[in-house]
Amino acid sequence: MDYQVNTVVIGGGPAGAACAIILQKAESSNLILEQRSFPRSKTCGGLMTEKTYRLLSSLLDEAAIPAVFCDESQTVELHGRDGRLTRSQVERPLRSVRRITFDNALIERYHALGGTVLEHQRRYKIDADKKRIVLENGDVIAYEHLVAADGALSRTRAALGCKPPQLGFCLEVYVPKRELPEIDAVQIHFGVVPRGYLWVFPSGEDLCVGLGGVYQKGTDYRAILRRFLSARGLDPAAYQVRGAFVPIGKPVSQKNAPESAMLIGDAGGFVDPMYGEGLYFALFSGLAAAETILGGGGKTAFLENAAPMDKMIREGVRVQKYFFLDPVLRLFERKIKNKNGFVRKYCDDQLSTYRYSYGELISLYRDYERKKNGGKP
């Protein structure tokens, strides 16, 4: 069976599904190629910030949104080498998702709108010049727009002549909450992972314990995770460890891609370089691609629509470059100790909402001090 569509989306994760849902709502012909089948799980801390939550309203029915979450917390703890640094009550809750549920909810919404997903598509050939894809069974997909959303190790990106992003690495395990009953908050641990951090996120009946950062060859990430678990009286061998590569640097240069193609989500390197947060950028880039296509544009227009993401990430890379250096991190730990109010403002106004960009962190701190001092500079 051959297909003639306006847009083919390669990859049915959050970025690809977001793009396809908007196209389907607008009755713009499209289909998704997916190498696996749904529901399927994915390694991901699963913490969702307020800015990501807001984007869901354009994708899922309001009544369906609560069901994608398995937990939430309004308590955030920062930890350093010598113990807890801060404990803050934030205004904007940090919600948790399991990717098997979240991704499937998006795909089910796409199906409900009449969308087509071709699963188990691992071997196909892309002819970008002729704007067609030949599937393993010989079927041909003719398209006007191609959206690459097939992850950090994207095959499509390579086929379009684009270089890969700098990669980060993450590992995670799920630990039943009953085994660590003293943990009742989102925790971030600094000084444990070279050029990265370790997290503990509430996740339903479990805690997601993971670590991530800029990938460094020779670093035994599994050993770091084992030591963290052992120090809390847990047997590391009792938990299944899952890992994945994620983009952690500047967005991918798309200059070599044809005008008819766009790279979104992890395939485009759209991930926060400080936190490794990818869900927000997945949805944002998917929506930006769909809006571009519906507006009659191509890659150039998409990159213009994606400029706010690009700017935020590039500013974050500059901060990341220095923040995780040992002297800087030690200074941070000394200065942030017991600054619960500042961490609350940071979480609410930067992490959760990007009200302040990375280039405005000094302004964020000054505004915090001004408010703390009753409006005086």
Side-chain angles (χ1 to χ4, degrees), residues 24-254:
Q24 195 66 22
K25 283 185 175 183
E27 299 183 349
S28 176
S29 62
N30 69 91
L31 62 79
I32 294 175
L33 287 186
E34 167 61 38
Q35 67 171 347
R36 298 170 65 185
S37 62
F38 291 92
R40 47 66 167 160
S41 60
K42 187 179 188 299
T43 302
C44 175
L47 199 68
M48 180 175 289
T49 54
E50 180 70 17
K51 58 185 181 289
T52 315
Y53 180 85
R54 292 174 181 173
L55 294 179
L56 283 178
S57 62
S58 62
L59 299 169
L60 299 180
D61 291 334
E62 185 176 353
I65 292 177
V68 305
F69 301 108
C70 61
D71 216 325
E72 71 173 53
S73 178
Q74 289 185 255
T75 306
V76 176
E77 293 183 354
L78 301 187
H79 291 249
R81 295 169 177 83
D82 299 321
R84 191 169 75 191
L85 301 169
T86 62
R87 180 177 169 92
S88 305
Q89 300 300 315
V90 300
E91 293 182 7
R92 306 178 190 279
L94 296 170
R95 301 172 175 88
S96 295
V97 298
R98 295 287 184 99
R99 288 292 299 276
I100 191 170
T101 301
F102 181 66
D103 292 20
N104 196 57
L106 291 171
I107 285 295
E108 286 300 309
R109 175 59 175 156
Y110 177 62
H111 279 309
L113 292 167
T116 299
V117 182
L118 303 182
E119 298 180 330
H120 304 293
Q121 300 297 324
R122 296 182 177 86
R123 295 181 178 87
Y124 47 83
K125 294 181 180 180
I126 300 172
D127 188 332
D129 292 330
K130 294 182 179 179
K131 295 185 182 180
R132 68 177 203 161
I133 297 174
V134 181
L135 304 181
E136 186 178 15
N137 65 1
D139 290 352
V140 176
I141 303 172
Y143 64 84
E144 290 300 319
H145 299 279
L146 185 153
V147 176
D150 50 342
L153 303 179
S154 171
R155 291 173 48 214
T156 311
R157 181 180 58 226
L160 296 175
C162 299
K163 294 182 179 179
Q166 181 180 11
L167 290 177
F169 190 73
C170 65
L171 288 177
E172 67 182 20
V173 298
Y174 283 92
V175 177
K177 284 180 177 177
R178 65 177 181 276
E179 297 182 14
L180 291 172
E182 70 278 10
I183 297 179
D184 63 350
V186 169
Q187 291 188 354
I188 302 296
H189 293 257
F190 297 110
V192 178
V193 182
R195 297 193 67 186
Y197 67 91
L198 184 145
W199 69 76
V200 183
F201 296 156
S203 186
E205 296 182 353
D206 302 316
L207 296 168
C208 178
V209 182
L211 56 83
V214 178
Y215 179 66
Q216 298 189 107
K217 190 176 181 180
T219 299
D220 192 341
Y221 293 101
R222 288 178 178 267
I224 294 172
L225 187 56
R226 287 196 297 268
R227 286 196 295 270
F228 182 85
L229 295 172
S230 295
R232 282 144 187 84
L234 302 176
D235 177 9
Y239 312 102
Q240 181 183 8
V241 180
R242 301 185 62 184
F245 287 104
V246 294
I248 202 69
K250 297 177 182 178
V252 171
S253 171
Q254 301 191 29

